[in-house]
Amino acid sequence: MVGRSERFSFLGKAAVQMIVIGLALLFLVPFYFVIVNSLKSYGDLLTNSASLPAELNFTNFSRAWEIMSYPRAFTNSLIITIFSNIGLVIISSMAAYKMVRTPGKAMNILFILFVSAMVIPFQSIMITLVKVGSIAGLMNSHLGLIICYFGFGVPLNLFLYHGFVKSIPKEIEESAVVDGCNAYGVFWRIVFPLLKPMTVTVVLLNSLWLWNDFLLPSLILSGKELQTIPLATYDFFGQYTKQWDLALAALVLGILPIILLFLSMQKHIVEGITAGSVKG
Amino acid sequence: MAKAIKRSKWPEYLVFIGPAMFFFTLIVIIPFLMSMYYSLTDWNGVSSKATFIGLDNFKKIFMDDDLFRKDFWFTIRFTVVSVLLTNLIGFGLAMLLTRKMKLRNVYRTVFFLPNVIGGLLLGFIWQFIFVKGFATVGELTGIGFFQLPWLGDAATAFWGLVIVQCWQFAGYVMVIYIAALINVPKELIEAAHIDGASKWVMLKQITVPLIMPAFTVCFFLSISWCFKVFDLNLSLTKGGPFNSTESVALNIYYEAFRNNRYGLGTAKAFIFFVIVALVTVLQVMYTKKKEVQA
């Protein structure tokens, strides 16, 4: 009797493992199709898109690299992601710290104002944002786009820091004040280093969003030389519809950097999502 | 004296909170308030003149904008189906991947992977899968499912979007469900097991109520993702064929930036905001009520 139930549970385990493997393959098949076909010539791709390439053919990649000015698009995406992150970390951590450490209703109301803005869908303010952007001189410049990201990123970033600052004991700061540190010294020398785990989370969550964002940059940036990777890919697809060999190579180039970032930082990203999801 | 100290603190507040407040106001609050005003005008975006026309835009939208109504209905159907499937798959994966198993973390990574790619590129990837990949698989296996005219008619385009949306977000909610499942006290499950409760009863009576906060979050997130679907919609179907898969977000975008009817667009955007806010707040209130303490 015992033996049978053990055998059953062994079979059950094997079955579960098989199901998981099957599902994982199902999730990976699209990547297989894209990568395999990006290495084929157009003729091979049309005759059989499921097979492995007969020979590795990197000409698609070198052509796509040139046509979409990949190095330029990559640099643009990188600049925007880095500087938006730096600014967001500074302004949100400072504001969150001060808001937590100031007793009273006013700060609570301010905090609720920031957080409730997260319900506003981007599409319901994008039209007037373009108007504000042209009045404020934010259009068609990287700096303008970065400033927009400051505004859109602050609610979530501030929310995440707010929760984290609460868990830091006040006593450390108080002793620093006694030692003659001013408010800025206390924050930058003592509190900010303690916020590091949350800063990692915030930067990674921001990076996934900033790197992949399409709609906002498409409204703000119009010059080709300013294009980010999603914008360059979009244009590329517009020009080379149905030229799948080139298009797929461009797609692989487009997704590669963010996948590498994810694979190298996945532990932190998964932790970040769990931390960020407590907001419900 | 006390007053003097308080006044001297003002610059400090300005430095700490001022920048966040400034950018937030400039980028979110001002456009939000402006869009309320412009929704009552005939602004066309090009000329600087915008005449106040009262509720005419809203009247037009509710009385004779068939496409907007159709797009809303599409968005609702898309949201209901995708939210249920995303959470079902994500929760199922979480249940499987909280068991002891070899390479568990590798599988978790695989299921999460689609999420790191943005909706725009995902849409292009899947366009290829649906148009070429499915056709090839259909030829090789003869299975009817793969031989359908994917993205070519309203039904397959709808399900195409649902498939990609689930593929993208199931892994994300899975991560949240896993974190919640790990925290369910083992003693409770063991006690129920000794009492002879079946697996299904344990799931329904113990696990699900205990991880209700995770459901609150996952439903909140997936509802807002689906309602706001834009990038994926633009790159996978462009709203076609014949506007059958045009989301509200895409409709607003076209109205403003293609038809140059900015006033009408902001009115639609305002309606959109009210509905998204209402739905998400109601959902959070509803699932929060079901949360229990262990």
Side-chain angles (χ1 to χ4, degrees):
Chain A
M1 191 63 195
V2 171
R4 189 190 269 176
S5 87
E6 248 169 33
R7 200 152 114 208
F8 179 75
S9 87
F10 174 74
L11 279 179
K13 251 182 202 161
V16 169
Q17 185 90 43
M18 291 309 287
I19 292 171
V20 172
I21 292 175
L23 287 171
L25 289 178
L26 202 65
F27 263 67
L28 289 177
V29 164
F31 292 109
Y32 168 81
F33 268 97
V34 169
I35 293 169
V36 165
N37 288 301
S38 69
L39 293 164
K40 287 181 196 167
S41 68
Y42 190 61
D44 287 352
L45 184 149
L46 284 189
T47 43
N48 186 356
S49 63
S51 66
L52 287 166
E55 51 178 339
L56 293 183
N57 180 351
F58 287 97
T59 47
N60 296 334
F61 281 91
S62 54
R63 282 187 62 200
W65 178 283
E66 246 167 66
I67 299 168
M68 70 190 284
S69 309
Y70 186 76
R72 191 177 67 196
F74 180 87
T75 318
N76 289 340
S77 279
L78 201 64
I79 289 174
I80 287 159
T81 305
I82 289 176
F83 286 100
S84 305
N85 258 317
I86 294 176
L88 274 169
V89 163
I90 294 174
I91 64 176
S92 334
S93 64
M94 287 180 83
Y97 166 73
K98 204 72 193 164
M99 285 165 80
V100 172
R101 290 292 187 250
T102 309
K105 263 220 172 99
M107 288 299 157
N108 262 331
I109 293 170
L110 196 59
F111 179 63
I112 290 170
L113 177 73
F114 274 111
V115 173
S116 49
M118 283 195 264
V119 208
I120 303 174
F122 173 74
Q123 292 93 357
S124 58
I125 52 174
M126 65 182 174
I127 303 171
T128 35
L129 175 72
V130 170
K131 187 169 176 78
V132 171
S134 47
I135 295 169
L138 304 177
M139 300 307 277
N140 214 15
S141 93
H142 281 168
L143 181 67
L145 180 60
I146 291 169
I147 287 176
C148 291
Y149 281 132
F150 288 171
F152 286 115
V154 148
L156 180 66
N157 285 219
L158 187 119
F159 172 82
L160 291 170
Y161 274 122
H162 197 271
F164 198 80
V165 172
K166 274 196 224 159
S167 68
I168 294 176
K170 238 175 158 173
E171 289 74 34
I172 314 172
E173 297 157 42
E174 278 159 5
S175 61
V177 172
V178 172
D179 292 345
C181 234
N182 68 10
Y184 309 105
V186 170
F187 179 76
W188 287 112
R189 281 198 221 124
I190 295 163
V191 179
F192 192 73
L194 291 172
L195 294 177
K196 198 180 153 208
M198 191 41 85
T199 303
V200 173
T201 295
V202 162
V203 167
L204 287 172
L205 290 182
N206 285 344
S207 302
L208 290 183
W209 159 56
L210 296 164
W211 188 273
N212 288 324
D213 196 27
F214 166 73
L215 186 49
L216 177 61
S218 81
L219 296 176
I220 301 284
L221 307 174
S222 45
K224 264 213 177 311
E225 63 293 344
L226 297 177
Q227 279 182 336
T228 60
I229 285 184
L231 293 181
T233 318
Y234 184 75
D235 268 14
F236 191 92
F237 258 78
Q239 271 172 39
Y240 294 88
T241 350
K242 306 295 166 223
Q243 285 230 40
W244 282 114
D245 49 343
L246 287 180
L248 291 174
L251 277 180
V252 173
L253 289 173
I255 63 177
L256 212 55
I258 197 77
I259 287 198
L260 292 179
L261 175 80
F262 168 64
L263 291 179
S264 59
M265 302 296 277
Q266 52 158 318
K267 201 177 138 254
H268 294 289
I269 290 178
V270 167
E271 276 167 12
I273 288 166
T274 322
S277 71
V278 197
K279 74 167 172 222
Chain B
M1 186 66 190
K3 225 177 185 176
I5 288 171
K6 229 183 175 179
R7 196 174 298 147
S8 75
K9 289 241 168 180
W10 265 108
E12 213 179 285
Y13 280 98
L14 209 63
V15 172
F16 273 96
I17 306 180
M21 204 56 221
F22 171 76
F23 292 117
F24 177 68
T25 309
L26 177 72
I27 302 300
V28 179
I29 301 292
I30 292 177
F32 182 67
L33 296 176
M34 269 170 69
S35 74
M36 282 188 189
Y37 170 73
Y38 278 107
S39 68
L40 305 172
T41 69
D42 66 351
W43 182 33
N44 68 9
V46 185
S47 75
S48 56
K49 217 178 82 191
T51 320
F52 185 83
I53 53 167
L55 293 172
D56 278 11
N57 285 329
F58 292 94
K59 221 184 277 167
K60 204 187 256 163
I61 294 165
F62 286 117
M63 304 306 267
D64 43 39
D65 194 333
D66 286 341
L67 185 59
F68 189 65
R69 211 174 311 148
K70 198 175 139 199
D71 292 353
F72 233 112
W73 178 229
F74 162 76
T75 309
I76 290 170
R77 278 185 303 146
F78 171 75
T79 304
V80 170
V81 176
S82 310
V83 166
L84 289 178
L85 284 177
T86 302
N87 282 283
L88 200 69
I89 298 168
F91 183 68
L93 290 173
M95 290 291 284
L96 288 173
L97 292 175
T98 42
R99 290 161 169 249
K100 279 205 188 74
M101 150 184 330
K102 273 183 212 153
L103 299 176
R104 196 165 65 177
N105 286 330
V106 176
Y107 296 126
R108 288 183 185 176
T109 307
V110 167
F111 293 124
F112 187 81
L113 195 60
N115 195 268
V116 302
I117 306 165
L120 187 86
L121 295 185
L122 277 184
F124 287 138
I125 290 176
W126 275 88
Q127 212 184 75
F128 177 72
I129 305 294
F130 283 130
V131 174
K132 291 245 67 93
F134 272 29
T136 309
V137 175
E139 263 168 45
L140 293 176
T141 60
I143 299 171
F145 175 80
F146 294 107
Q147 292 168 328
L148 295 171
W150 280 96
L151 306 183
D153 61 30
T156 53
F158 175 81
W159 286 102
L161 281 166
V162 170
I163 289 172
V164 184
Q165 184 81 6
C166 294
W167 185 71
Q168 184 179 12
F169 289 113
Y172 195 102
V173 295
M174 172 197 77
V175 168
I176 299 171
Y177 285 128
I178 286 177
L181 285 171
I182 289 171
N183 286 325
V184 173
K186 283 211 172 58
E187 308 84 59
L188 275 178
I189 303 284
E190 272 161 24
H193 190 66
I194 290 165
D195 289 347
S198 72
K199 282 210 164 129
W200 172 245
V201 170
M202 286 196 285
L203 179 69
K204 223 177 84 180
Q205 306 284 351
I206 302 171
T207 312
V208 170
L210 279 177
I211 65 162
M212 214 55 205
F215 282 104
T216 306
V217 176
C218 291
F219 273 83
F220 170 80
L221 290 173
S222 47
I223 288 174
S224 58
W225 290 326
C226 291
F227 245 107
K228 294 189 263 189
V229 65
F230 179 89
D231 294 11
L232 174 64
N233 202 188
L234 183 71
S235 59
L236 190 64
T237 67
K238 277 207 165 75
F242 307 112
N243 301 325
S244 61
T245 62
E246 191 173 286
S247 68
V248 177
L250 205 56
N251 182 301
I252 295 169
Y253 178 83
Y254 285 153
E255 194 67 76
F257 300 115
R258 207 166 62 182
N259 304 342
N260 279 333
R261 287 190 288 241
Y262 282 55
L264 196 59
T266 46
K268 288 179 172 184
F270 185 70
I271 298 172
F272 184 52
F273 157 71
V274 171
I275 290 175
V276 169
L278 210 66
V279 168
T280 44
V281 168
L282 283 178
Q283 174 265 320
V284 169
M285 274 164 60
Y286 176 76
T287 42
K288 271 243 174 225
K289 236 175 41 196
K290 298 208 151 186
E291 288 176 14
V292 293
Q293 294 290 317

